[in-house]
Amino acid sequence: AALRPEVIAWIATHLSDEERQGIRAQVSSAGAGMFQQIPDASVGRVARPDWRTVYKEAEVLTNNAGMRSKTPYLPKPDGVFRIICLGDSFVFGAAGKEEDRFCEQMQAFYTDKNVRVNGKRIETLALGLPSWNTVQEADYLSARLDAYAPDVVILLTVQNDITDSAGVTENGELTTEYS
């Protein structure tokens, strides 16, 4: 059953931030699957952080950022040249092993060959989820630019990334006309 607008308005004005965050956490954890039940207002669909599941017959582990990676995404340390691979299911690696994704292959190559940029070791982060479009990809990275501090961003795009996709309106309603 849907909440009436006056109930939502009361909640918005009478609950503390901590109480609202607690309700959000309960609702988010109640649903099944890899994706959070409460969409992110800036990008729509986001994955649950620290989640393990099977997606399209492939084991998927999400990290603290809700991205497919066994490694947590932390602020960039000194001595690191960071490359962001940005995209959709291609970057996510739908139906494949994490280590087979192109971003991980780049990381492995640079590490194996000890390739450095101005003496800095190279690190790659894969930022992408199935069905994201270029607007969502750019919004996601823009909101986290300071935290990720990329030196280079590689945008991988395919034809359906420039078409309308599922998203969230400014009122928090789902729409299929996101872009």
Side-chain angles (χ1 to χ4, degrees), residues 3-66:
L3 290 176
R4 296 187 322 237
E6 59 270 17
V7 173
I8 294 172
W10 187 90
I11 290 171
T13 58
H14 290 85
L15 294 181
S16 68
D17 286 342
E18 184 177 329
E19 290 169 322
R20 280 194 290 275
Q21 288 172 357
I23 290 170
R24 185 180 202 286
Q26 285 179 340
V27 171
S28 291
S29 67
M34 178 174 62
F35 297 100
Q36 290 186 9
Q37 299 304 303
I38 298 175
D40 180 298
S42 66
V43 297
R45 189 158 93 159
V46 292
R48 292 179 183 213
D50 303 313
W51 189 255
R52 177 185 295 255
T53 191
V54 174
Y55 182 79
K56 295 196 177 196
E57 300 181 18
E59 180 184 38
V60 171
L61 301 173
T62 63
N63 63 12
N64 61 314

Side-chain angles (χ1 to χ4, degrees), residues 123-151:
E123 173 184 81
T124 63
L125 302 182
L127 304 179
L129 289 174
S131 80
W132 269 6
N133 63 30
T134 50
V135 173
Q136 292 164 306
E137 296 155 9
D139 284 349
Y140 181 86
L141 181 57
S142 294
R144 294 153 180 85
L145 204 54
D146 288 340
Y148 291 136
D151 295 290

Side-chain angles (χ1 to χ4, degrees), residues 150-164:
D151 295 290
V152 172
V153 176
I154 300 172
L155 175 64
L156 276 97
T157 186
V158 295
Q159 184 179 9
N160 70 347
D161 291 352
I162 58 172
T163 59
D164 288 334

Side-chain angles (χ1 to χ4, degrees), residues 35-103:
F35 297 100
Q36 290 186 9
Q37 299 304 303
I38 298 175
D40 180 298
S42 66
V43 297
R45 189 158 93 159
V46 292
R48 292 179 183 213
D50 303 313
W51 189 255
R52 177 185 295 255
T53 191
V54 174
Y55 182 79
K56 295 196 177 196
E57 300 181 18
E59 180 184 38
V60 171
L61 301 173
T62 63
N63 63 12
N64 61 314
M67 292 292 135
R68 184 177 184 191
S69 179
K70 296 174 184 123
T71 306
Y73 288 175
L74 304 171
K76 183 172 75 172
D78 291 337
V80 169
F81 183 89
R82 183 172 277 172
I83 299 172
I84 299 281
C85 303
L86 184 63
D88 65 353
S89 56
F90 187 73
V91 171
F92 177 82
K97 294 178 181 176
E98 182 178 328
E99 60 270 17
D100 291 342
R101 301 182 307 166
F102 82 95
C103 204

